[in-house]
């Protein structure tokens, strides 16, 4: 299969028409090999316009949503980023291309192991991954210039807000268990500003400062 061509089509037909403009973001989507993050049984759909199951009842998000979240973070290449919900590691790779370093936390030990192996094989040296409850953040490495939560949360987990640096940005799907609003939070001179981006549907964030275990 000509994956390079499929990536170009994904950029032209899924990302640009919906308003993704940042040339760095578009270039990275044309470069990162999404099919290497997809289970073998779904590889033919790797560049399709929808989320795909990755095991452990989890999904790799739709390319457009990954692009929208990445663009909304406004990355210049110098940032220290915290990602909550590594999943397949695809979003992690995109972030690693656009920032200085990425710290990523995944709740499922199996997904952590697979993502770590994949990202190492692909040659990324600016990513650290651990298994744990990402709603607690990564206090030893804080503060973070950017925080991205890739699972649905009823609110912004307090520790993550605390670990966000001054002038930092945090993005998350916030709302109910089956429907959320992609929300951008900005910390400006100690004040928190929040803006809605669009409606979305994510798998739940399960942890101390989000939904409780029994939902999964
Ligand atoms: N961005 C990922 C990708 O590119 O494959 C997809 C992330 S998936 C939509 C959400 C992930 O969040 C799942 O892998 C899930 O196990 C993880 N998750 C849920 N609650 C979590 C928590 N408290 N801490 C860390 N990860 C969590």
């Amino acid at each position: 299969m000509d994956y390079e061509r499929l990536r170009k089509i994904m950029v032209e037909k899924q990302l640009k028409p919906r308003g993704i403009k940042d040339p760095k973001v578009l270039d990275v989507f044309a470069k990162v090999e999404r099919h290497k993050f997809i289970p073998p049984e779904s590889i033919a759909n790797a560049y399709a316009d929808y989320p795909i199951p990755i095991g452990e009842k989890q999904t790799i998000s739709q390319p457009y949503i990954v692009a929208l979240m990445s663009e909304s973070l406004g990355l210049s290449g110098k940032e220290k980023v915290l990602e909550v919900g590594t999943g397949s590691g695809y979003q992690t790779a995109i972030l690693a291309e656009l920032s200085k370093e990425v710290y990523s936390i995944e709740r499922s030990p199996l997904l952590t192991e697979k993502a770590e192996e994949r990202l190492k094989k692909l040659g990324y040296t600016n990513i650290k991954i651990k298994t744990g409850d990402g709603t607690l953040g990564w206090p030893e490495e804080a503060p973070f210039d950017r925080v991205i939560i890739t699972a649905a949360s009823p609110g912004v987990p307090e520790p993550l807000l605390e670990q966000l640096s001054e002038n930092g940005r945090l993005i998350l799907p916030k709302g109910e268990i089956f429907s959320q609003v992609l929300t951008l939070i900005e910390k400006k001179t100690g004040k928190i500003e929040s803006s809605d981006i669009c409606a979305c549907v994510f798998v739940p964030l399960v942890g101390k400062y989000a939904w409780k275990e029994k939902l999964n």
Side-chain angles (χ1 to χ4, degrees):
M1 217 172 308
D2 186 350
Y3 291 117
E4 199 178 337
R5 189 171 155 266
L6 291 178
R7 278 198 296 283
K8 276 192 190 141
I9 295 173
M10 172 183 77
V11 168
E12 295 301 325
K13 301 246 163 142
Q14 298 177 35
L15 308 190
K16 285 190 185 171
R18 290 184 178 129
I20 303 296
K21 284 190 196 70
D22 185 336
K24 294 193 293 316
V25 173
L26 295 168
D27 284 353
V28 162
F29 274 78
K31 174 182 166 188
V32 176
E33 297 175 300
R34 182 171 162 97
H35 61 281
K36 297 208 169 149
F37 296 83
I38 303 279
E41 64 275 15
S42 301
I43 205 155
N45 302 323
Y47 296 95
D49 194 15
Y50 45 75
I52 294 173
I54 54 168
E56 303 286 282
K57 295 190 201 155
Q58 303 303 328
T59 53
I60 174 171
S61 303
Q62 178 193 18
Y64 168 62
I65 286 290
V66 180
L68 181 61
M69 291 179 90
S70 307
E71 187 173 69
S72 304
L73 286 174
L75 295 163
S76 73
K78 295 183 186 148
E79 298 81 4
K80 185 173 187 179
V81 180
L82 175 67
E83 178 188 38
V84 174
T86 317
S88 68
Y90 176 64
Q91 170 89 74
T92 323
I94 298 283
L95 294 169
E97 296 276 353
L98 294 168
S99 66
K100 184 164 170 245
E101 48 188 345
V102 184
Y103 291 79
S104 187
I105 310 174
E106 170 55 51
R107 182 171 172 260
S108 153
L110 183 65
L111 293 180
T112 309
E113 195 188 317
K114 284 191 188 170
E116 210 162 21
E117 199 183 298
R118 241 174 233 142
L119 292 162
K120 199 173 160 196
K121 231 189 230 172
L122 289 170
Y124 288 98
T125 53
N126 59 342
I127 297 173
K128 285 206 178 71
I129 304 185
K130 71 172 181 182
T131 301
D133 177 2
T135 70
L136 304 173
W138 199 319
E140 306 86 336
E141 291 296 341
F144 296 97
D145 305 305
R146 302 287 186 268
V147 176
I148 174 169
I149 307 174
T150 68
S153 179
V156 185
E158 196 53 43
L160 299 181
L161 210 48
E162 277 163 18
Q163 291 171 33
L164 183 66
S165 61
E166 190 55 41
N167 296 317
R169 287 187 190 189
L170 179 155
I171 192 161
L172 83 164
K174 186 161 79 68
E176 307 301 321
I177 193 95
F178 295 119
S179 75
Q180 307 90 34
V181 174
L182 197 58
T183 307
L184 183 69
I185 307 285
E186 291 176 83
K187 208 184 233 187
K188 288 184 182 160
T189 51
K191 279 195 191 142
I192 302 299
E193 284 178 16
S194 170
S195 44
D196 295 350
I197 300 176
C198 65
C200 58
V201 180
F202 275 76
V203 293
L205 182 71
V206 178
K208 185 170 177 194
Y209 293 89
W211 308 105
K212 299 299 169 236
E213 182 90 28
K214 63 178 164 44
L215 286 165
N216 237 15

